[in-house]
Amino acid sequence: MAQFKVPSQPKMYQTRYARFRGVDFSTDPALVDPSRSPFAPNLVSDAGGMPEKRPGWRTLFRFNQPINGIFEWEMAGEPYLVIHGGDTIYTWKQVEGESPRIIWQGLNSARSRGFAMDGAFYLLTGKELMRLRENKAEGPLPWCERVKEHAYVPLTSIGRSPQGAGADYEACNMLTKRRRNSFCCDGSARDYYLDGVISDLDTITCTLDGKKITQFMVDENRKFIRFNTAPPKPQVAGRDNLEIAFDVTDQASIIEECTICSVFAGCAFLSGNPGKRSFDYRSGYGDPTYFPDLGYTRVGSDTPIMGYCAIGSYQAIVKAPSQQEATVYLRQESLLDGKTIYPVRQGVSGVGAVSPYAFATLLDEPLFLSPQGVFGLCTSSVSEEKAVQNRSYFIDSALKGENGLENASATVWRGLYVLALGNRCYLLDGGQEKSWRSQSMGDYVYECYHWENIPARCIAARGEDLFFGTEDGRLCRFSTDVPGMERYSDDGVPIPCAWSTKADDDGSFTQYKTMMRRGSGIMIKPYLRSSVKVNIRTEKDLGRDLSYSTMDIWSWDELDFSRMDFTENDAPRVVPFGSRVGRYLTLQITVKNDGLNEGFGVYGIVKRFTKEGNVK
């Protein structure tokens, strides 16, 4: 009797992609780790670390001038945004229906920096140092003024005799031409010598025991004042009774042309003056209206200072890249003979900063952008030595290919270091488990993401809110505050996003495989409106669409009968591929979404396949 033998089924294999981390641009798409993607635009990690579509953004206001800076400021317990648009300063309380309020016009229109101190906000425009404060006389409203016009007038000399002998008291203030000298009159002298040369005869004021004196003249060399009548001796012997206030040569431009700022040990430190690139200037304690003329430091040689970082009890001064000197110096507050000093010592050589606007602290780590990528300043817990380490290994190749690194802007938002550069954003994720790479000098690197279509000239975060300003004068906000699916659009335009697997050879690039129709699919994050397109690319083609599926949850708010499947289940959805892919050597799967007002997130991808013949 004839026997019929049932052919055995080919052995089935499976590749599973899960526990997704971020992008990897450091190597060829065929060599990346299965948990990372060589192509994943417009995704960000969710609360569990899985990739989901980023929130969209919308235009809030149009100012018709480039946005030079966006800053957070709290005045009288109320949060404000300070917006430097073109030559104008605006404040915005972020109250529904309220528009930004103009508080100053006619400023220098250039990229700006700012800092808050003692309830006020100070803005550096490169030509002016401005102060915003509360106007208590007219109610709790922001008020703006040029610091130069309200600077502290120092008492530079005390106990002076008419001939000029006395004691130095306060250093001259670089922000103002004005200074004061205090004399102890002898009752007979009419000539009183000053500690500087008078620059403006019309600004001299003299007070004797608190009363103004106007009967005097100035010598032709402007070095002393001659009174018509000799001022009397003080009523209390040895106590100063005459004060002369006068103007000298103006030095305010040295401070007003600074473009870099930081607050350390209760003082403001400014730098970035284009004529004094390696100098920084310290304010008086808690008083940025007072910059002592002896409070400057030349840091290293001529390599420009780019920014400041706080690292433990130190202030790190980061300079531009240089082969001639150190690129990081360290400042520490100390006491010497009862006086506070701020000595600077050499720190790290080699890696320097390229943008003064890309300094930010992620968790407790200061980060800055260099020509080689994003670097962090860290301290060895054993030796307490400071080191600079790479933190952006996975996106360094993309960063190095970008133009305009010197204009990049950064902020920290929701545990992410967000770097705005050109029309893109690059993100370092401080919330995910970090990975070891030798490029970080034996330490960790962050997982990374990248976003497209973000036309940010400057970017800033305030709490859970993320704002950016554009070259054409728009103030924009990421729509994290929008409860519905409208949050997933960029000013009404769809946000295309995708996650690609590696170009996977499934363990052998010399053996053909066939992906089976049954058992292959993806697990997608549930949204009220979502869809997914599956694209397959092998070594034989440039890619083709394999399937498309909508995945909506029933909601009256998002009802669309043309695509509704009437499910109320908000569990993750499994979408089968539904197609077979035959005889490939390498296979790359891309799941993507480009729907308007649609969310998207991916939890896992499973590929089931059989092995066939070898390459001949």
Side-chain angles (χ1 to χ4, degrees), residues 185-293:
C185 302
D186 62 7
S188 60
R190 293 170 54 204
D191 296 344
Y192 282 76
Y193 284 80
L194 306 173
D195 65 359
V197 178
I198 300 169
S199 65
D200 188 345
L201 301 182
D202 295 330
T203 62
I204 302 170
T205 60
C206 301
T207 56
L208 180 66
D209 292 324
K211 295 180 181 180
K212 190 172 182 180
I213 301 177
T214 59
Q215 301 300 314
F216 60 84
M217 61 177 293
V218 180
D219 86 298
E220 60 181 13
N221 294 321
R222 302 188 177 195
K223 292 183 178 180
F224 67 85
I225 287 178
R226 174 171 293 165
F227 292 96
N228 294 355
T229 304
K233 291 182 178 181
Q235 295 179 3
V236 178
R239 177 179 294 179
D240 290 357
N241 62 335
L242 173 66
E243 183 177 285
I244 301 175
F246 59 101
D247 288 358
V248 295
T249 304
D250 191 0
Q251 300 184 80
S253 62
I254 295 176
I255 300 300
E256 291 196 308
E257 292 179 10
C258 289
T259 57
I260 297 167
C261 58
S262 178
V263 175
F264 174 70
C267 300
F269 288 83
L270 306 186
S271 186
N273 184 306
K276 297 179 178 295
R277 304 182 306 167
S278 61
F279 287 75
D280 72 359
Y281 304 89
R282 173 182 51 82
S283 77
Y285 182 82
D287 186 6
T289 72
Y290 179 37
F291 279 86
D293 63 347

